[in-house]
Amino acid sequence: ASVGTYTVKLTANNGNNCSSVVSKTIQVNALPSVSFTGNNVCQGTATTFTNSTTGATSYSWDFGDGSSSTLATPTRTYGTAGTYTVRLTATSGSNCSSVGSKTVQVYANPIAGFNASSVCAGTSLQFVNTSSGAATYAWDFGDATTSTSANPSKTYGTAGTYTVTLTVTSSNNCTNVIAKQVVIYATPVADFSNTTECQGVATVFTNSSTGATSYNWTFGDGNASTTTSPNYMYGNAGTYNVTLVANNSNGCKNQITKSVTVNSKPAAGFTASNVCLGSAVNFTNSTTGATSYNWSFGDATTSNSASPSKTYAAAGVYNVTLTATNANNCSSVISKQVSVYANPTAGFSATEECIGKTSVFTNSSTGAVLYSWNFGDGTTSPLTNPTKAYSTAGAYTVSLTATNSNGCSNVTSKTVNAFANPTANFTSSVVCTDNTTQLTNTSTGATSYSWNFGDATTSTATSPSKTYAAAGTYVVTLTSSTSNNCKATVQNTVVVSPAPVASFSANEVCLGAATQFNNTSTNATSASWTFGDATSSTQL
């Protein structure tokens, strides 16, 4: 039981009661005093054994996992977590051994793991922690920022490849580290400029984005486009919030919204009547919302008046364009056709006649369908080729208005003379067959005369004389003519009486007695007696 030198005596006896004694000295050496410590560690970390044994000169370690060591102060890294009974056999120089054991706890390490997708700069990246056995977490995002959240999110402001390290620690203060690279894609920069246009004019969008490969536009009116730099025409004036989303091949996007103003345009409008050549076209401007106007009349002439009038030089169909502009320099254009109808050509000829005779009017107008004659004496006619007998001599201004199917008229006037008729009249003496009849012309206005004496004889004398060969009643015709060949005719009856034959008888009587005169004349209707003594009588 105690260290020391002991004399051991052995007495050996046989059956015969014979005995023999032997003695030896036994040295009982001291046992080593085994003592050691070993720290509890995490899996994969070396356990350091501190040997405080005394009295030993050699050591044999059994680490409890099938491995051993003869070092005085060994270290052991366990590959598997668990509880290990470590035995130390310490042997002295006397070959005395002592065994000591202790339990060493090897803690399981946590398993570090996480998932993270590549994202675009400026977009929140969510880290999904897949670690197990951990109690705390330490993230290093590779850009000098950290986090202790289990599942942190991180927004990188700059594109690049970042090494993200996750250190997980268990409740036993065991750690595990994992590092992964996270690619942060560059985010495109969206930007654009635009023209300020008018309603009905395409707004030009100029895309100044960088780092993008595709684009999405929304124009603020429900319509969209994927064109790089679109031209877009708004249907209505107003202010629109236009958004441009710039996308790259990594799915990164950036957007910008700007207000785009579309100015209202005036509503151009006008009315104009078709006219006849030579008449002014009056343009009535019905435009609203304009401050200035420009007219193009279709014949290379223009006007800036609000409601101009225009007289065209030639007939035709003209395209009239009104450009109305407002204070924002927005314009509206309207075009209409204006017809300028050709006027007919009025023309006529007329015979000049004597009063009472019909003047014939021959219409030589062209391009007309209706005619209106004014004969200058208060009478009119709608006939194409009328006739007219004037009742009073004079110079008449005759006008012809020729009208075409478009209501266009042309007027021409001429002086038409109605010549005065002469007056025909004459007187004749009462004559007998033995006398010359004197025809006295009392006509007026005539320059020539034609006589028919009723006996197949004629004369052109002004006041002829005529001796009829036989008594009778003759119808004498006088035709008086003017220099314009106007005529007047008159007939008078001329009675040519037989010449009387004077004859008488008288008885011779005594002085103081009445003489009886017997008138035996023939063809006599009156008598004139002179009795030779200065007395007379008219008794037949």
Side-chain angles (χ1 to χ4, degrees):
S2 299
V3 174
T5 301
Y6 294 91
T7 298
V8 179
K9 182 190 230 182
L10 170 61
T11 297
N13 295 292
N14 59 20
N16 296 312
N17 202 28
C18 290
S19 63
S20 179
V21 177
V22 65
S23 64
K24 288 185 179 183
T25 299
I26 299 299
Q27 182 66 39
V28 179
N29 296 314
L31 289 173
S33 175
V34 176
S35 177
F36 68 92
T37 60
N39 57 322
N40 295 330
V41 293
C42 300
Q43 180 183 359
T45 300
T47 300
T48 300
F49 294 94
T50 302
N51 191 343
S52 56
T53 300
T54 60
T57 60
S58 64
Y59 307 95
S60 176
W61 296 84
D62 180 353
F63 296 120
D65 64 349
S67 64
S68 61
S69 175
T70 59
L71 296 177
T73 303
T75 61
R76 173 62 185 165
T77 300
Y78 289 93
T80 304
T83 302
Y84 295 89
T85 301
V86 179
R87 296 173 63 86
L88 172 57
T89 301
T91 303
S92 68
S94 302
N95 204 30
C96 295
S97 297
S98 295
V99 177
S101 65
K102 287 194 177 205
T103 299
V104 174
Q105 186 71 40
V106 178
Y107 303 120
N109 287 324
I111 298 173
F114 67 91
N115 293 323
S117 301
S118 295
V119 295
C120 305
T123 301
S124 177
L125 171 58
Q126 182 65 53
F127 290 91
V128 178
N129 193 336
T130 60
S131 302
S132 61
T136 62
Y137 309 93
W139 297 83
D140 183 337
F141 296 118
D143 65 346
T145 62
T146 61
S147 175
T148 58
S149 297
N151 294 285
S153 61
K154 166 67 179 177
T155 300
Y156 288 91
T158 305
T161 300
Y162 295 88
T163 299
V164 179
T165 301
L166 170 60
T167 301
V168 295
T169 303
S170 68
S171 58
N172 293 313
N173 206 32
C174 295
T175 62
N176 186 239
V177 178
I178 189 173
K180 290 184 178 181
Q181 285 188 329
V182 174
V183 177
I184 304 299
Y185 300 123
T187 299
V189 177
D191 199 10
F192 68 91
S193 61
N194 62 277
T195 58
T196 299
E197 300 294 352
C198 305
Q199 178 185 2
V201 177
T203 299
V204 177
F205 291 92
T206 301
N207 191 336
S208 56
S209 301
T210 57
T213 57
S214 65
Y215 306 94
N216 296 95
W217 297 82
T218 55
F219 297 115
D221 64 348
N223 291 317
S225 174
T226 58
T227 303
T228 301
S229 292
N231 295 342
Y232 183 71
M233 183 181 296
Y234 287 92
N236 298 306
T239 299
Y240 297 88
N241 288 324
V242 177
T243 299
L244 167 61
V245 178
N247 310 287
N248 63 18
S249 57
N250 293 314
C252 299
K253 61 181 63 179
N254 180 242
Q255 74 178 45
I256 188 172
T257 300
K258 292 184 180 182
S259 293
V260 173
T261 298
V262 178
N263 294 316
S264 62
K265 65 179 181 180
F270 70 90
T271 58
S273 299
N274 297 326
V275 297
C276 302
L277 183 63
S279 297
V281 179
N282 293 317
F283 293 93
T284 301
N285 193 335
S286 58
T287 301
T288 57
T291 57
S292 63
Y293 309 94
N294 180 265
W295 297 82
S296 176
F297 296 118
D299 65 346
T301 62
T302 60
S303 174
N304 293 319
S305 299
S307 293
S309 62
K310 165 70 180 176
T311 300
Y312 287 90
V317 178
Y318 295 89
N319 288 320
V320 178
T321 300
L322 168 60
T323 302
T325 305
N326 62 17
N328 290 318
N329 203 34
C330 294
S331 297
S332 177
V333 179
I334 187 172
S335 295
K336 290 185 179 181
Q337 287 188 331
V338 173
S339 294
V340 178
Y341 302 124
N343 290 319
T345 300
F348 68 92
S349 61
T351 60
E352 295 183 324
E353 301 292 347
C354 305
I355 295 172
K357 287 191 175 182
T358 298
S359 293
V360 177
F361 293 88
T362 302
N363 193 334
S364 59
S365 301
T366 57
V369 295
L370 297 174
Y371 306 97
S372 176
W373 297 84
N374 188 321
F375 297 115
D377 65 345
T379 61
T380 59
S381 173
L383 298 177
T384 302
N385 296 291
T387 59
K388 168 67 180 177
Y390 287 96
S391 60
T392 304
Y396 294 90
T397 300
V398 178
S399 63
L400 168 60
T401 301
T403 304
N404 62 20
S405 57
N406 293 313
C408 300
S409 299
N410 183 241
V411 180
T412 188
S413 297
K414 289 185 179 181
T415 299
V416 176
N417 291 302
F419 302 122
N421 289 319
T423 61
N425 208 357
F426 67 91
T427 61
S428 60
S429 59
V430 177
V431 295
C432 300
T433 53
D434 59 349
N435 291 330
T436 297
T437 298
Q438 182 62 50
L439 299 171
T440 302
N441 192 338
T442 59
S443 300
T444 59
T447 58
S448 65
Y449 307 95
S450 177
W451 296 86
N452 187 322
F453 296 122
D455 65 348
T457 61
T458 61
S459 174
T460 59
T462 302
S463 293
S465 60
K466 170 65 179 175
T467 299
Y468 285 95
T473 299
Y474 296 89
V475 178
V476 178
T477 301
L478 170 60
T479 300
S480 299
S481 301
T482 66
S483 58
N484 295 311
N485 203 32
C486 295
K487 301 178 183 295
T489 300
V490 66
Q491 290 180 331
N492 287 331
T493 301
V494 175
V495 178
V496 179
S497 301
V501 178
S503 178
F504 65 91
S505 62
N507 60 331
E508 297 182 353
V509 295
C510 296
L511 184 66
T515 300
Q516 179 63 51
F517 293 93
N518 293 313
N519 191 343
T520 58
S521 302
T522 58
N523 298 324
T525 58
S526 64
S528 174
W529 299 85
T530 57
F531 294 116
D533 63 351
T535 61
S536 62
S537 174
T538 59
Q539 185 176 345
L540 182 63

